[in-house]
Amino acid sequence: MEEHRSGCPINLSLEVFGDRWSLIVIRDIMFGNRRHFRELLTNNNEGIASNILADRLHRLVGLGMVSRAPDPGHKQKIVYRLTEPSIQLVPVLAQLGAWGVRHLPVSPELAVRARLLADGGPPLWDDFMAELRELHLGIPRPAGVESVFDRLTAAYQAELARAGN
């Protein structure tokens, strides 16, 4: 059994997510729908190194935050999926993003999703978690619920277009 500095829930959470990259990898799977190593490596805004990405994916799989399975469409690829504990991070990431928008020099295109999640609050977070459960765990979401992922992606794309990117 792994030794922990204390039984404090904040400390234990930081032991899982306290490094520079773990939440970024989860963010990219969650908000970018990046499921393969190459997608996570090449579409990362922060420039994660391949050895660091491999280490964080291995660690997150070991912690049960991400699952990995062979890609049925390509026998040499691995598909990474969020697990329920990672999906339950949506409110945490929404709050973290909202705090960043309020207090840090964010870029408009990268802040748009955080603003939408903050404005939508818990009802939108619940819809997004239901959608993530469908995408990553195969659990159907309630019928008639608008795709939060599509809404966040459209807002991001619109902001990119406004910025001329």
Side-chain angles (χ1 to χ4, degrees):
M1 188 168 160
E2 188 178 330
E3 286 291 319
H4 300 286
R5 286 184 288 251
S6 78
C8 169
I10 294 171
N11 170 69
L12 292 169
S13 298
L14 287 174
E15 286 183 18
V16 173
F17 303 114
D19 67 88
R20 179 178 172 154
W21 295 108
S22 293
L23 282 177
I24 298 300
V25 171
I26 289 172
R27 176 206 66 190
D28 287 351
I29 296 171
M30 184 179 288
F31 295 103
N33 199 29
R34 298 179 191 129
R35 306 280 189 97
H36 298 97
F37 184 89
R38 180 73 42 209
E39 291 173 322
L40 288 162
L41 183 66
T42 59
N43 295 318
N44 177 272
N45 291 325
E46 292 78 20
I48 191 170
S50 62
N51 63 322
I52 301 295
L53 176 58
D55 178 70
R56 289 318 179 276
L57 285 168
H58 178 75
R59 190 166 178 270
L60 289 168
V61 167
L63 290 166
M65 300 303 296
V66 173
S67 66
R68 78 189 290 280
D71 186 334
H74 192 290
K75 63 182 175 181
Q76 294 180 331
K77 283 188 176 182
I78 298 295
V79 176
Y80 293 95
R81 290 184 174 92
L82 299 175
T83 61
E84 182 62 26
S86 288
I87 291 169
Q88 290 181 18
L89 286 171
V90 166
V92 174
L93 293 176
Q95 290 287 351
L96 195 57
W99 183 89
V101 165
R102 284 192 309 272
H103 299 290
L104 300 171
V106 299
S107 65
E109 65 274 6
L110 295 176
V112 69
R113 289 179 283 210
R115 283 191 177 96
L116 283 173
L117 285 168
D119 292 346
L124 186 65
W125 307 343
D126 288 342
D127 288 348
F128 190 41
M129 287 188 290
E131 185 172 4
L132 290 170
R133 287 182 186 103
E134 182 176 65
L135 291 170
H136 293 271
L137 304 176
I139 300 169
R141 64 186 151 138
V145 176
E146 174 191 5
S147 171
V148 176
F149 181 81
D150 288 349
R151 185 173 161 198
L152 295 173
T153 301
Y156 172 69
Q157 295 297 331
E159 196 60 48
L160 281 178
R162 259 192 290 285
N165 293 338

